[in-house]
Amino acid sequence: MYALFKWFGNKRLIILMFGLIFFIALMGFTLGKRESMIWPEKFVKDSVSWFQGLVYRPARVIAGFFEDMHRLTVLYEENRALKQTLTRYAKDTARLNDLESQNKRLKEALGFTERQMQANEYKYRIAEVYASSPDPYNNTVVINLGEKDGIRENMAVMSVEGLIGRVQRVSPFYANVQLLTDIDVRSSSSKAIAATVKNRENESFGIIESYDREKELLVMNKIPKTDQMTKGDVVITSGLGQLFPRGIEIGTIVEKDEGEFGITHTAYIKPFASFNHLREVFVVEVPELR
């Protein structure tokens, strides 16, 4: 029995030695300079390449999927950041445009008040239009000045272009302004305007009593037949009646017709002021009426 185990032990040693010798010989043969591989090398190489391809394809698909998901996530974050940036840019641009427009209006208002101070002794209180009536037949706006600011009913209100109306109602901090487009002497809430022609104040006279909505023109009646006012003349407040102070520009005469019974004339006046999108207006204070 001992001899048999010894023989098997020697046999394993002999097989190991032959295997080692074959491996060394094979390495020396493959490392040598050869023009082509032998068939065992080709077989091994093809087998390994096929197995690598078998493993690599699904691995590549999986890796590509996760890479695409990562790219989509990055793209989504970039798009969201870009949208937020564009939104902020649009808001900043709108705010900048509004500030530039406001700055332009305030410069015009400053120039207007300086010119008016040289022309008369009136005090012009600038006010912001806080709200406007949505009713087309109730043409009023609300300004952010009131009794606490010395505003009283029937004070004249104007823009840099010309007269726009009068203070109709006053509360402690706000006031309602009735626009010229709402003037109608048939209404108890409306007031007529005594008017004349600029540079011919002692020669011309008329009463602005209504507003023609179709023509978008003010209607001035009771013009004496001998009055020489004509198309193109600038109409201003005359100061008579002590409601509207003297010398505020209203508009230009665009048409003159014969009035009622042929005794007087009627003139149609295109207002200087625009009554849409009012932002800042001026309440006129007359020192003599304080």
Side-chain angles (χ1 to χ4, degrees):
M1 184 65 68
Y2 173 76
L4 181 62
F5 283 129
K6 184 176 181 181
W7 184 84
F8 276 113
N10 292 337
K11 185 177 181 181
R12 288 198 299 270
L13 181 60
I14 292 171
I15 293 172
L16 180 61
M17 289 178 62
F18 274 107
L20 182 61
I21 293 171
F22 176 77
F23 178 73
I24 293 173
L26 183 62
M27 286 185 60
F29 182 76
T30 56
L31 291 175
K33 294 181 179 180
R34 293 174 295 112
E35 295 182 356
S36 61
M37 294 183 296
I38 60 176
W39 71 266
E41 290 178 310
K42 292 179 180 179
F43 175 78
V44 172
K45 181 176 179 58
D46 290 342
S47 300
V48 171
S49 298
W50 178 82
F51 182 75
Q52 287 178 337
L54 188 65
V55 174
Y56 176 72
R57 287 190 186 92
R60 182 176 58 184
V61 171
I62 295 173
F65 171 78
F66 284 105
E67 184 177 357
D68 290 342
M69 291 297 295
H70 175 70
R71 289 178 180 176
L72 287 175
T73 302
V74 173
L75 184 61
Y76 171 78
E77 295 295 334
E78 289 178 350
N79 286 340
R80 186 173 65 174
L82 181 59
K83 287 181 179 179
Q84 292 175 349
T85 302
L86 290 175
T87 301
R88 289 194 298 268
Y89 175 76
K91 290 181 179 178
D92 292 342
T93 301
R95 184 170 180 272
L96 177 61
N97 291 337
D98 185 64
L99 288 175
E100 288 179 346
S101 177
Q102 184 182 35
N103 184 56
K104 181 180 178 181
R105 295 196 309 272
L106 291 177
K107 283 183 177 179
E108 292 175 351
L110 178 60
F112 166 80
T113 54
E114 290 177 348
R115 291 192 304 270
Q116 295 301 315
M117 288 176 64
Q118 295 174 0
N120 50 56
E121 297 180 356
Y122 304 155
K123 183 177 180 180
Y124 296 85
R125 301 288 303 276
I126 188 168
E128 182 180 353
V129 175
Y130 187 77
S132 59
S133 172
D135 185 355
Y137 296 99
N138 182 23
N139 297 299
T140 60
V141 296
V142 180
I143 59 175
N144 63 344
L145 295 180
E147 290 178 348
K148 299 292 185 181
D149 305 292
I151 305 302
R152 300 183 304 276
E153 291 184 2
N154 294 324
M155 279 185 166
V157 182
M158 60 185 304
S159 66
V160 294
E161 291 89 7
L163 184 69
I164 65 167
R166 68 179 180 90
V167 176
Q168 188 178 41
R169 289 192 299 273
V170 184
S171 63
F173 301 101
Y174 298 94
N176 283 34
V177 177
Q178 182 184 45
L179 301 179
L180 295 183
T181 52
D182 198 47
I183 188 171
D184 187 350
V185 292
R186 295 172 298 180
S187 171
S188 59
S189 62
S190 181
K191 304 288 184 181
I193 305 172
T196 184
V197 172
K198 189 174 184 180
N199 298 324
R200 293 205 308 274
E201 288 85 349
N202 298 325
E203 302 173 10
S204 296
F205 177 78
I207 302 292
I208 298 176
E209 296 182 332
S210 62
Y211 178 79
D212 191 321
R213 297 183 184 276
E214 292 183 0
K215 295 182 178 180
E216 297 184 342
L217 299 174
L218 293 166
V219 182
M220 182 164 67
N221 297 317
K222 299 182 174 60
I223 303 170
K225 199 167 185 179
T226 58
D227 198 313
Q228 298 300 312
M229 70 172 62
T230 185
K231 182 179 179 180
D233 285 344
V234 174
V235 178
I236 61 175
T237 55
S238 68
L240 298 178
Q242 298 183 349
L243 182 61
F244 292 89
R246 180 184 179 91
I248 299 178
E249 293 188 349
I250 301 173
T252 304
I253 296 176
V254 295
E255 185 182 344
K256 183 180 177 182
D257 294 330
E258 191 173 277
E260 294 180 354
F261 310 111
I263 301 174
T264 60
H265 284 157
T266 297
Y268 293 89
I269 304 165
K270 181 175 179 59
F272 285 135
S274 172
F275 303 100
N276 298 320
H277 310 296
L278 291 168
R279 301 292 294 274
E280 290 89 21
V281 297
F282 300 91
V283 180
V284 184
E285 291 188 40
V286 182
E288 293 83 1
L289 299 180
R290 287 180 180 177

